[in-house]
Amino acid sequence: MKTNNILNLAKKQNLCKDYQEKMKNDSSLESLCQMYFEGDDWSMENDFPDIETLRAFKGKSDIYGLHTDYIGSNKSEFEAAYFGNSIVVLTYDQFSIGKLILRHDTKAKIKASGNAILIINILDNAEVDIECMEKASVTVFQYDSNQVKSTGNVKVYKSTFKR
């Protein structure tokens, strides 16, 4: 699949005209990944891009923060999304700040320490186990009946999409 095909898929999902124009002007993978995070509310609500599209760019989108069927660990990612069957261990420490999106069947284990601040959106069948220590804080927005386990300064809010 080519990145310019994503515009056609987005149009079918009623992507706003401003973002359609942005996609026309720059359909590079880097730009599309950046747009994902800028419009993550729309992306999450519309399940966009779908898992097949994400898998078509598996391995190429990781450097831009979109990880599909990823198995491994990462540290202090500022913006990251994990899709498909990802199994990931994440560490946030010192003064790191992060925004995470966990989708599909992702399983994540997260350790936050020091003065780290982390915001997590969790959807679909994703699961997360959070260990929050010291002065770190984690806020979780739970959009489905996902499994969220936590210790420490973790706040979990049930969320829905306004329709």
Side-chain angles (χ1 to χ4, degrees):
M1 174 181 286
K2 297 187 180 200
T3 56
N4 55 2
N5 294 347
I6 294 174
L7 175 58
N8 294 329
L9 296 172
K11 284 180 181 178
K12 290 178 186 175
Q13 293 281 358
N14 296 317
L15 180 67
C16 71
K17 297 290 182 198
D18 288 344
Y19 270 80
Q20 286 184 34
E21 195 60 37
K22 282 177 96 170
M23 284 180 143
K24 280 183 201 171
N25 293 333
D26 185 358
S27 64
S28 68
L29 186 57
E30 180 178 9
S31 178
L32 293 174
C33 292
Q34 183 179 4
M35 282 186 251
Y36 176 84
F37 290 111
E38 289 173 2
D40 62 4
D41 54 339
W42 181 88
S43 297
M44 290 185 296
E45 184 174 3
N46 290 284
D47 190 19
F48 187 84
D50 63 23
I51 191 64
E52 291 80 20
T53 303
L54 290 162
R55 285 186 170 135
F57 293 96
K58 179 183 174 181
K60 298 174 191 140
S61 60
D62 292 273
I63 60 172
Y64 306 117
L66 271 64
H67 308 279
T68 305
D69 299 328
Y70 179 89
I71 297 176
S73 61
N74 280 315
K75 183 175 178 181
S76 300
E77 290 180 291
F78 178 65
E79 288 182 317
Y82 290 86
F83 305 99
N85 297 307
S86 294
I87 300 171
V88 63
V89 176
L90 301 167
T91 305
Y92 288 82
D93 59 9
Q94 298 179 16
F95 291 92
S96 58
I97 297 172
K99 178 172 89 170
L100 285 175
I101 299 168
L102 306 175
R103 302 259 354 232
H104 305 118
D105 295 309
T106 293
K107 292 178 180 23
K109 181 161 181 58
I110 298 170
K111 184 176 180 180
S113 62
N115 292 288
I117 299 171
L118 184 58
I119 296 171
I120 302 170
N121 290 303
I122 184 168
L123 296 89
D124 310 314
N125 298 312
E127 299 175 11
V128 65
D129 185 352
I130 305 163
E131 181 182 0
C132 190
M133 303 173 295
E134 300 165 356
K135 295 181 181 179
S137 69
V138 177
T139 303
V140 179
F141 295 96
Q142 184 179 21
Y143 288 88
D144 294 299
S145 55
N146 326 74
Q147 189 170 4
V148 177
K149 295 179 185 175
S150 65
T151 58
N153 185 16
V154 178
K155 294 179 179 75
V156 180
Y157 299 98
K158 298 279 186 188
S159 296
T160 59
F161 295 107
K162 295 178 182 166
R163 293 180 189 224

